[in-house]
Amino acid sequence: MRILGIDPGTGILGFGVIRVDGYEVQLLDAGVIRTPVHEDDVVRLQTIYDELTCIIAQTKPDVMSVEKLFFIRNVTTAMTVAQARGVVLLCGSQAGLEIAEYTPLQIKMAITGYGRADKKQVQEMVRIHLNLAEVPKPDDCADALAAALTHAQSRKF
């Protein structure tokens, strides 16, 4: 099974694709989609749609695992992230993917066993789970891989 993890964002959207075969997990692809801050929101969302559609076509995932929007203090940021999340969900739906959503707490619990783990702990556990030499960079990429790994672990139960 191939799982595409997504850490939604408008400026930087993280993605990570893993292959799960029993208890074996392999990193296939990971990175970020960046959109310039000065661009109009419509253009930024179109860029996310186009690039994510290409990533899905190239990596052929079976499932999309998306981090849920939990709490953001800045309302403007929350709205733009929610718009990007909507584009992500649309891409997954149009590609016929099963879509799973997880809160940050669920992801931290699945990856570290501790719901209040900090970012560095989550990133280090992503590195360990995927047997990587270094923590995936930038943070958005590691967060997307954590979402994918969360789905891999939750499906075992």
Side-chain angles (χ1 to χ4, degrees), residues 62-136:
D62 303 296
V63 179
M64 177 185 279
S65 178
V66 183
E67 184 175 334
K68 280 186 181 179
L69 206 73
F70 186 65
F71 176 77
I72 298 178
R73 291 180 194 159
N74 183 327
V75 175
T76 304
T77 302
M79 289 178 67
T80 59
V81 173
Q83 289 173 334
R85 229 177 140 271
V87 169
V88 166
L89 296 173
L90 176 65
C91 285
S93 177
Q94 287 184 336
L97 302 180
E98 173 189 335
I99 298 174
E101 299 177 85
Y102 299 96
T103 65
L105 177 68
Q106 289 172 310
I107 292 171
K108 289 176 182 181
M109 284 295 295
I111 302 302
T112 69
Y114 178 58
R116 294 191 182 262
D118 64 31
K119 246 185 186 329
K120 288 190 189 291
Q121 290 171 308
V122 173
Q123 292 168 355
E124 180 60 17
M125 289 306 294
V126 166
R127 185 192 71 75
I128 290 168
H129 283 295
L130 293 173
N131 198 26
L132 303 173
E134 296 179 2
V135 169

